[in-house]
Amino acid sequence: MAEQAQSQERALRVGIFQGGRSLEERLFRRRSNITVGQSAKNTFVVPATVDLPKGFTLFEVTPKGYALNFTDRMEGRLSLGGDAVVDLAALRKDKAQRHGELWHLVLNDRSHGRIMIGDLKILFQFVQPPPVAPRMQLPASVKGSLLGQMDNQLALVLLGSFIVHFGFVIYLRTLDFPKGQDIEEIPDRFVQMLVK
């Protein structure tokens, strides 16, 4: 039980290298399948020159923890927690289980190793993850408030404009609308002009 709790605390750290230079390194705090391949949907996207399908599940989550999947074409060496370092060929004969074309090896929280796929090198190990850094927050005195951020001159201009416009609307609402004139109310001289 204590060993299971300890394994839950450890995170998988994976680094991808090609031609002697680092392509990517990640720390996985939560357990999830880790895939490698040329498709953008993979966890690690590798160049098309690597002899891999579009997606290959390298580290698979099982009820016992992570398991390493590898093929006959892959090479590498790993340790399952002791001082002994074993290559993949010996693991194929001894501890790994065959699942179709893949070899499947359950790892423990002290495992670490190196997998070679052509010129692509994958290093992995289980480490104690660093604590999650809290989000940075500014003190209240620096944040300020909405009123503190507003320009006083602009606020006075807006307030004055609001008062003038609102007052003008109120003034117009108090006036009586002008009535339209009937033809009988138009003076005679205008009626004659309209008739002509």
Side-chain angles (χ1 to χ4, degrees):
M1 190 72 158
E3 185 177 328
Q4 186 180 5
Q6 185 180 3
S7 68
Q8 290 292 342
E9 293 173 5
R10 295 180 72 85
L12 179 62
R13 180 178 170 190
V14 180
I16 306 278
F17 299 84
Q18 186 177 29
R21 66 183 177 94
S22 173
L23 295 180
E24 192 172 358
E25 182 179 340
R26 288 198 206 166
L27 181 72
F28 298 93
R29 292 175 187 272
R30 285 187 285 144
R31 293 182 187 258
S32 63
N33 290 343
I34 298 168
T35 57
V36 179
Q38 292 134 22
S39 171
K41 294 179 181 179
N42 290 308
T43 311
F44 292 101
V45 179
V46 296
T49 57
V50 178
D51 185 23
L52 275 175
K54 289 194 175 208
F56 179 78
T57 304
L58 188 64
F59 295 99
E60 183 180 348
V61 177
T62 66
K64 296 179 181 177
Y66 273 111
L68 174 67
N69 292 322
F70 54 96
T71 65
D72 290 326
R73 293 185 313 247
M74 295 181 186
E75 299 173 4
R77 297 169 61 86
L78 58 112
S79 169
L80 295 175
D83 292 333
V85 176
V86 184
D87 64 354
L88 292 183
L91 288 170
R92 285 183 191 105
K93 294 176 187 174
D94 187 24
K95 295 189 177 187
Q97 297 174 349
R98 185 115 179 158
H99 291 280
E101 295 182 10
L102 297 178
W103 292 93
H104 186 80
L105 177 68
V106 177
L107 304 172
N108 59 42
D109 66 337
R110 292 173 286 135
S111 301
H112 60 278
R114 175 185 70 208
I115 307 295
M116 299 292 294
I117 309 167
D119 68 338
L120 188 75
K121 183 183 344 180
I122 301 169
L123 300 176
F124 71 92
Q125 67 180 9
F126 288 90
V127 296
Q128 194 72 32
V132 179
R135 290 185 64 195
M136 297 293 290
Q137 292 190 359
L138 294 172
S141 61
V142 175
K143 280 186 193 176
S145 63
L146 182 62
L147 291 175
Q149 294 175 355
M150 191 176 288
D151 184 23
N152 291 339
Q153 227 173 359
L154 177 64
L156 288 175
V157 168
L158 288 174
L159 181 64
S161 174
F162 177 74
I163 290 172
V164 168
H165 284 89
F166 194 67
F168 187 66
V169 168
I170 291 174
Y171 167 73
L172 289 177
R173 301 272 301 179
T174 59
L175 294 178
D176 289 336
F177 287 105
K179 294 180 182 175
Q181 292 182 341
D182 287 341
I183 192 115
E184 295 169 355
E185 295 175 0
I186 299 176
D188 289 338
R189 60 187 170 144
F190 294 124
V191 171
Q192 290 172 1
M193 288 173 58
L194 288 172
V195 171
K196 286 180 184 178

